[in-house]
């Protein structure tokens, strides 16, 4: 399983804080991104960063391993 | 003793944080701190409350990395960072950063760098609750 | 409520000072503080205690003038300055300065300016008490 | 009467924190300075500033009025 995590404005727009999806071998970040944009066209407008297992990831070619946590994140506004 | 880096709902005490910071060494001559507070007004709008959401595990890791980097980069003796989540009201504490060094210049530089960099790197989001509705804050680039 | 500018023998509480500062306005988004502490070591010498002497009336007037100037110059909402006199030991508080502003840049700039300028303008003198004798501190030019 | 005030290293060197002297009309700061340097050659080495009634005074021509407080001060080292 892969867990998609949403916070703040992204969570509000998606209407959920986490979604679990089936893992399929050969999964890359870019595929998850595209799927997310297709499923949540409103939410994706907020997204500025993606983190894979708590580390920011910019490369769509990153291979996603089973059990990963992918966070789609808006610009940070803490502090 | 509370951890030097924390994300928490409850308020914190500057006296307690400073006491914990000082325990590290009596060679600390200067401590610079920054306290961010909730304002009742933001860019022309009245704000009733501010609500914070965080990606806790990543935010904590980033704040710990910030502390390590600040200590190394500015030669600090120690540093502490606390950020609240949940809902706060006008005048309430939001974030506290303390930098302790032998001399004041490093303490000031490090404290300022930590709050500036926290805003850039730490996954926390702020929603302003106003009489006319709620709005997530989008930082200016 | 304690005065925002004080010279005193007794210790002070950051929590109390910050609470007093915040009372002025809930439009204060950033508070920068500086806390100067007694170190147990100075320029290679072990220091057992530090003793402060002040020209009280002039020092208080200069500190009040500093506060007024900082508020005006940096657009602060408020500021507080407390300096201890008498004898302090390693780790003890010596001086506390807090600057509250709408945004953090002004708060940091003002806090730093106040401690730098206090050292130049306020008639207070420091004596280091060491195991090998006492010595008044002469600041480097 | 004129009150001379000493603090910190100057007070230690003079051995007193205050000295009262007779007022004489036409008294100027420069005269007090010279007198102090003559009476306390050790202490005067510490002196970097003079304040007249709590205000720093650099001009030796300043007229001193009766009842004034003159402080002979070392470089400040507070903070």
């Amino acid at each position: 399983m892969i867990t998609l995590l949403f916070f703040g404005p992204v969570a509000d727009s998606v209407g959920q804080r986490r979604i679990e999806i089936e893992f399929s071998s050969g999964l890359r970040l870019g595929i998850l991104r595209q799927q997310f944009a297709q499923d949540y066209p409103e939410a994706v407008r907020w997204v500025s960063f993606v983190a894979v297992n708590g580390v920011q990831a910019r490369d769509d070619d990153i291979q996603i391993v089973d059990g990963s946590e992918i966070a789609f994140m808006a610009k940070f506004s803490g502090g | 003793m509370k951890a030097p880096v924390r994300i928490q709902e409850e308020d914190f005490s500057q006296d307690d944080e400073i006491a914990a910071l000082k325990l590290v060494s009596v060679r600390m001559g200067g401590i610079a701190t920054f306290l961010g507070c909730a304002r009742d007004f933001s860019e022309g709008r009245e704000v009733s409350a501010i609500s914070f959401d965080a990606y806790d595990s990543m935010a904590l890791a980033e704040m710990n990395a910030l502390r390590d980097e600040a200590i190394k980069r500015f030669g600090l003796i120690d540093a502490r960072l606390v950020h609240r989540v949940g809902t706060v009201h006008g005048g309430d504490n939001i974030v506290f950063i303390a930098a302790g060094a032998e001399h004041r210049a490093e303490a000031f530089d490090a404290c300022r760098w930590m709050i500036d960099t926290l805003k850039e790197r730490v996954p926390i989001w702020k929603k302003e609750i106003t009489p006319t509705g709620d709005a997530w804050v989008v930082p200016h680039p």
Side-chain angles (χ1 to χ4, degrees), chain A, chain B:
Chain A
M1 297 289 262
I2 303 292
T3 306
L4 307 186
L5 296 177
F6 315 115
F7 304 95
V10 182
D12 272 7
S13 186
V14 169
Q16 291 185 79
R17 295 182 68 80
R18 58 189 297 148
I19 293 176
E20 308 231 307
I21 59 174
E22 285 299 330
F23 172 72
S24 53
S25 72
L27 188 62
R28 286 174 196 276
L29 182 57
I31 299 169
L32 284 173
R33 251 194 226 272
Q34 281 168 26
Q35 193 62 49
F36 179 75
Q38 221 165 47
D39 295 349
Y40 301 100
E42 289 298 318
V44 81
R45 292 184 198 162
W46 284 100
V47 174
S48 288
F49 311 109
V50 177
V52 177
N53 297 317
V55 177
Q56 278 198 47
R58 286 184 187 83
D59 183 358
D60 274 348
D61 279 342
I62 287 174
Q63 188 101 24
I64 304 297
V65 299
D66 196 9
S68 290
E69 238 183 43
I70 319 293
F72 290 94
M73 304 184 292
K75 271 193 190 161
F76 310 147
S77 54
Chain B
M1 177 68 62
K2 284 178 178 151
V5 174
R6 305 194 309 279
I7 293 174
Q8 62 187 39
E9 291 214 1
E10 63 271 26
D11 198 8
F12 47 79
S13 150
Q14 282 100 197
D15 283 339
D16 291 352
E17 297 301 325
I18 296 295
L21 188 77
K22 279 185 175 184
L23 274 187
V24 175
S25 163
V26 281
R27 207 146 292 180
M28 212 176 270
I31 297 172
T33 80
F34 177 74
L35 178 67
C37 307
R39 300 162 67 214
D40 65 347
F41 217 78
S42 169
E43 296 177 7
R45 288 191 314 275
E46 198 185 317
V47 176
S48 333
I50 303 177
S51 164
F52 288 92
D53 190 17
Y55 182 1
D56 286 328
S57 58
M58 182 177 169
L60 208 56
E62 291 284 348
M63 283 163 69
N64 270 298
L66 257 179
R67 172 170 172 268
D68 293 347
E69 194 175 334
I71 289 172
K72 201 166 161 190
R73 193 162 166 163
F74 297 94
L76 298 181
I77 296 172
D78 200 10
R80 298 178 78 84
L81 299 94
V82 185
H83 200 298
R84 291 179 72 189
V85 287
T87 302
V88 301
H89 297 89
D92 285 353
N93 295 330
I94 294 170
V95 60
F96 178 75
I97 294 183
E102 288 204 41
H103 302 288
R104 70 188 186 281
E106 304 93 270
F108 273 119
D109 288 344
C111 187
R112 196 162 189 161
W113 180 83
M114 282 190 280
I115 181 64
D116 288 350
T117 312
L118 179 146
K119 283 172 180 271
E120 280 168 21
R121 290 196 201 162
V122 178
I124 298 180
W125 297 271
K126 179 188 335 207
K127 181 165 66 176
E128 288 175 351
I129 297 162
T130 80
T132 56
D134 303 355
W136 288 100
V137 172
V138 181
H140 308 293

